[in-house]
Amino acid sequence: MIRSLLAFGLVAAGVACAGGVAAAEPGPGIAIVAELPEPEAAQFVPGATNIVPATAVSAKSAQAVTGAGGTYTCPGFSTVDDATPLSSVLQDTYTWGGFKPYKVGDGNGNINWKLNPYKNPSWYMWFHSLRWLGQGITAAGQGDTAAIDHVTTIVKDWVRDNPYSWKADIGAWESTMHRTNVIICTRQAVLSGLHLTTLPSQYSWLDTALLDHAKFLVGNWSGAWNHGTDESIALFGVGCTLDRTDYMALAQQRLNAGITTSIDAEGSTNEQSTAYAQFNYSLWGRAVDVLRACGADPGTTIPARRALLANWLALATNSLGNLHQIGDSEVVRTAAVAGTPLEYAGSLGAIGVAPTDRVGRFSAGYVFGRSGWGKFADQASYSIRYGPARQLHGHSDHTSLTYTARGRDILIDGGHAGYQNDVWRTWAKSPFASSSMTTPLSADRLPATKLTRSLLKPNADFFEFSDVPGAGINRVRGVLVLNNPDLVVTLDRASSTTAQQFQTLWHLPADQKATVYSRTTALASKPGEDTRTILFQVPYRQALPPGAILLKQAQTKPIQGWTYPNINTRLSAPTLMFARSGTTASILSFIAPVKASGAVTYATRWSGTTYVVDLSVAGVRTSVGITAGGSLVRLA
């Protein structure tokens, strides 16, 4: 089976793409580009608008070249077809996402397109994308006549049962650009499998279907995010396939409009998800290669913004070699892209050149930092969220932290629960799935959060954030991240016009067991591992009440103490809660990862107007001060 013959945007195994199109390996069948790192599940929320306006100044337009005799290569099926082998395609059986195989037709290609047996919007959307036919299309391109007949029967059945316009069906609508590409791949498979260069008249309905899909894409552009980019690439593909320069010109105009909003001048994407940021890097790389392959000039803005995004992604890589899990992101490995900072980050420093910055601060709402770019296993790394209000694939995670040290996760995010509208997705998107101060008695206002001050030193990074998370509530979080010793210190201060519960949450990895040791201290460790995390709070301008530390795990009413490393896996995970109640709160937290035999001791004192905590962290002495203005500083 010939698959993934070309590499677009990212470097595929054994095949490099340096801006142009790599040559297909010799062999039968159609050329299929390397799969992109597309996040699992559907890229939409049912019932929500999918239009994201392009707000930044458009890139300079470079119109498509006419009559260039270019090509559009089948973009593949993004692993959606992996669980549906040719034998299943021929039996009208579809499998996706860990669900059991389901017979969706009568065995003769007559499919019931209204089926959704698992009540899952992603299952339904990928069903209508037709990507699950991928292995059948590949076989058809290699001359398998049974595959040609059955695949074209299923595609024709979709066209007949879902006449234009299918916008009333959200799954059919949202999968239009994917299905457009599958129809193009099917057309190429027919030509290749039958050893023809001109489409036979009995398959002319394929071109009619492509024109209908192009018409839909012309009238329904999702704008400046990955959906809109995918749509523009698919529309360009129809234009290249059917020699419609009007489609190509409009697609390129939209790509020019979308790039400057989709990736900003600092390299941040508007998706508010690290996994989607990596997908966008490769997707825009594909856009460049697709334009060039069909004789169009992609201009300079797309490559320039991708270079900025590559640096962003490198900085967003933690010391384990994964992207910090932020927004609708599974635990994702950073891709090592040759010739960019990602090569170093994605290879755990084995090859390439390290980024020049140890800490990145981005106005789109991210701080990514680390102790250094040396041997990854010896480094600590962290992320902090702030910035504009939640949108697209973002979560309500402002002021939250993730943290790695000693070769493992220390503080984690609740993760990505998928797109089904249920209580689990609601929780995973909420403040309660993040390591931040929460106010559960007030409705979440999805606040914009300001970075009010910061100071970077070689052995300590300080940041302060402020926002209004609920009506009448003001919240300020100071964060100090130390190295040598590895230590995170946070000062959460809040005030409210009405009585509240104030809960600073610390989400811990699922492989650790946590215990509350005292009113000030909790411990977390994995049995048999030479690392434990000591979490404690020091009374500061507020006494610790009974129940100042609570452990929540595998709780369902309300939901707490879980994590989703991927959308199909929900794990019980300890969450520690540092709790207060009233109209004000002051919670001074310390998170110290140490050897299993390591201990932390501390003493407090005043030095003028500065409150000082003198610590010994696994034998390393340091002092942290809180100034009169509320800044956290390392004193020793």
Side-chain angles (χ1 to χ4, degrees), residues 511-601:
D511 63 348
Q512 289 190 323
K513 180 180 180 180
T515 56
V516 174
Y517 181 76
S518 69
R519 189 177 295 188
T520 63
T521 307
L523 307 174
S525 63
K526 178 182 178 180
E529 189 176 76
D530 190 30
T531 293
R532 67 173 176 170
T533 304
I534 302 175
L535 304 96
F536 61 100
Q537 52 184 326
V538 174
Y540 175 68
R541 299 190 181 280
Q542 191 175 48
L544 300 187
I549 296 184
L550 301 172
L551 174 62
K552 305 293 182 179
Q553 185 161 359
Q555 179 178 292
T556 57
K557 292 183 180 179
I559 293 173
Q560 192 52 274
W562 304 89
T563 186
Y564 282 85
N566 59 70
I567 63 170
N568 298 312
T569 305
R570 181 173 68 241
L571 300 176
S572 167
T575 298
L576 288 168
M577 179 187 298
F578 293 2
R580 305 286 191 277
S581 61
T583 57
T584 62
S586 176
I587 302 178
L588 179 60
S589 305
F590 294 78
I591 297 91
V594 297
K595 294 182 65 174
S597 59
V600 177
T601 60

Side-chain angles (χ1 to χ4, degrees), residues 230-245:
D230 254 328
E231 290 164 355
S232 297
I233 292 172
L235 180 61
F236 191 91
V238 176
C240 187
T241 299
L242 301 183
D243 196 23
R244 287 288 300 264
T245 56

Side-chain angles (χ1 to χ4, degrees), residues 189-244:
V190 169
L191 293 173
S192 175
L194 298 178
H195 305 288
L196 299 172
T197 58
T198 302
L199 195 67
S201 59
Q202 65 265 38
Y203 295 104
S204 62
W205 59 268
L206 283 167
D207 287 353
T208 302
L210 285 177
L211 291 172
D212 277 346
H213 279 65
K215 181 180 178 182
F216 190 98
L217 293 170
V218 167
N220 298 277
W221 183 45
S222 296
W225 65 307
N226 74 81
H227 241 192
T229 308
D230 254 328
E231 290 164 355
S232 297
I233 292 172
L235 180 61
F236 191 91
V238 176
C240 187
T241 299
L242 301 183
D243 196 23
R244 287 288 300 264

Side-chain angles (χ1 to χ4, degrees), residues 1-6 24-33 72-77 133-143 181-194 196:
M1 183 174 292
I2 305 297
R3 301 179 66 124
S4 300
L5 297 179
L6 305 182
E25 298 172 0
I30 62 173
I32 301 176
V33 302
Y72 182 78
T73 304
C74 172
F77 313 102
L133 301 177
Q135 296 193 41
I137 293 170
T138 302
Q142 295 169 341
N181 282 319
V182 172
I183 296 173
I184 292 175
C185 297
T186 303
R187 187 184 193 277
Q188 293 174 357
V190 169
L191 293 173
S192 175
L194 298 178
L196 299 172

Side-chain angles (χ1 to χ4, degrees), residues 281-306:
Y281 178 82
S282 55
L283 184 63
W284 281 103
R286 173 168 289 180
V288 168
D289 289 336
V290 162
L291 293 175
R292 287 174 176 161
C294 206
D297 178 4
T300 60
T301 303
I302 297 175
R305 292 295 171 101
R306 288 187 73 233

Side-chain angles (χ1 to χ4, degrees), residues 341-367:
L342 285 166
E343 183 175 29
Y344 187 89
S347 69
L348 297 176
I351 55 175
V353 178
T356 57
D357 295 323
R358 182 179 62 82
V359 179
R361 289 167 290 187
F362 300 93
S363 58
Y366 305 89
V367 175

